[in-house]
Amino acid sequence: MTVPDTHPRTHRTAGPSAPARALLSAACRTPWGGAATGLPGAAPVELPRVTGFVTSRFSPLVHSVATECLGAPGSADDLVGAAGPRTGTVLATMFGDTVTLDTATRRLTEGQVHSPLLFFQSVTTSILGRLGQSYGITGPVECLSVARDGAGEALSAADLMLEQEDIDRVLLVGVELAANERATWIHRRIAGPDGPDPLPDGDCAVALLLARTDEGTGRVLLRAGAGSGSPADRAPADARHARFGWLAPLVAAAETVRPPEGGPVPRPVRVPGRYGYVVAPAGRAAAPAAPAAPAAPGGPA
């Protein structure tokens, strides 16, 4: 079960002395069909099926974006290889697999026989077990559900995991399903000056593979304490990214790792939150923060 993170997280000291992290690979999956034209990770609505997972798109979405980020297991493109035992995983989602949970609850209240598959996949991280089996990933697993500054908290979890001596790489996956009636009601109910983060327009996921920089020179780096952490950081520099809600900073980071063909040179990405994370190509300083976009009437600040 995914539990909202309401407690302050311990974090290493940010600043000039804090080590940077290398972003080795990234992927984005936006399975909206024609509605995703021009967006990062645009893909057909239909997702590849994953044996043992039914009804919901949550787990197939995580599996699809993670596989694209890591490369096919056992292939020449496999970025995990022998590093599986030293690779951790962080899964970040505001509401988790609402389809599985609501379907199971509905079947129970209607007196129907409970599906063992739904019981298994109701655990948000169950798909990570499948990925771990495929890639040989046996490092620690963490799952976060945060209402405010979800992207920054997810990066912090991956950053902290890399502080462990026996972990060299971390796969970070941020995922959200299109908000159903219950998620929409909760999101509106808790709206206020301090949150929650906006939700994406539909099902989407983004994956980042982070590593210690002593593995080699990273083309794109994550640095803590390099941003201001001000409200201005909440305005996506690219208007396209606003459609990804709280995942927008992670999507922007993914595009910094994998710039779109023919697109402009990636700008440094400022991640909202208390850690002041900035994602930028090695050797580039953070650009000045863009002015904050006005909040929609009645929407989250």
Side-chain angles (χ1 to χ4, degrees):
M1 178 179 180
T2 305
V3 179
D5 183 357
T6 58
H7 301 284
R9 295 179 55 79
T10 302
H11 190 271
R12 64 185 175 85
T13 303
S17 61
R21 307 303 187 190
L23 273 68
L24 303 182
S25 182
C28 184
R29 180 67 77 241
T30 313
W32 302 350
T37 301
L39 295 178
V45 173
E46 191 69 24
L47 290 167
R49 296 187 62 182
V50 181
T51 304
F53 292 85
V54 298
T55 307
S56 173
R57 289 163 62 83
F58 185 89
S59 292
L61 187 54
V62 172
H63 190 275
S64 176
V65 77
T67 301
E68 182 180 346
C69 178
L70 299 177
S75 70
D77 298 325
D78 186 346
L79 296 179
V80 179
R86 301 183 63 84
T87 300
T89 312
V90 173
L91 180 67
T93 175
M94 188 181 295
F95 285 102
D97 190 352
T98 53
V99 173
T100 292
L101 294 177
D102 288 0
T103 300
T105 301
R106 190 176 302 112
R107 289 173 65 94
L108 179 64
T109 58
E110 293 175 354
Q112 299 182 36
V113 177
H114 190 59
S115 168
L117 288 178
L118 292 180
F119 177 77
F120 165 72
Q121 71 184 47
S122 65
V123 179
T124 310
T125 54
S126 57
I127 187 61
L128 301 185
R130 171 62 61 86
L131 288 167
Q133 184 180 38
S134 299
Y135 288 95
I137 296 174
T138 57
V141 173
E142 183 170 354
C143 183
L144 300 178
S145 174
V146 185
R148 185 67 163 173
D149 297 331
E153 295 295 336
L155 288 169
S156 171
D159 194 3
L160 267 177
M161 198 174 282
L162 284 168
E163 285 290 288
Q164 301 180 36
E165 293 183 357
D166 58 345
I167 297 299
D168 294 328
R169 298 182 179 186
V170 173
L171 172 66
L172 166 59
V173 179
V175 57
E176 205 68 49
L177 295 182
N180 61 10
E181 183 179 3
R182 180 170 62 86
T184 300
W185 185 89
I186 295 173
H187 193 262
R188 289 175 178 171
R189 181 88 171 181
I190 63 177
D194 296 324
D197 290 339
L199 292 171
D201 288 354
D203 303 341
C204 58
V206 58
L208 303 171
L209 182 61
L210 295 89
R212 298 175 185 273
T213 50
D214 56 16
E215 281 196 8
T217 303
R219 291 183 299 171
V220 178
L221 300 178
L222 169 74
R223 296 184 184 278
S228 65
S230 70
D233 292 350
R234 301 187 187 283
D238 189 327
R240 297 175 307 143
H241 297 157
R243 298 189 62 186
F244 293 92
W246 71 268
L247 290 168
L250 301 181
V251 172
E255 280 207 313
T256 304
V257 179
R258 288 187 175 183
E261 293 185 12
V265 176
R267 296 178 56 187
V269 178
R270 292 174 176 267
V271 182
R274 51 186 158 167
Y275 307 117
Y277 282 116
V278 170
V279 176
R284 289 196 61 186

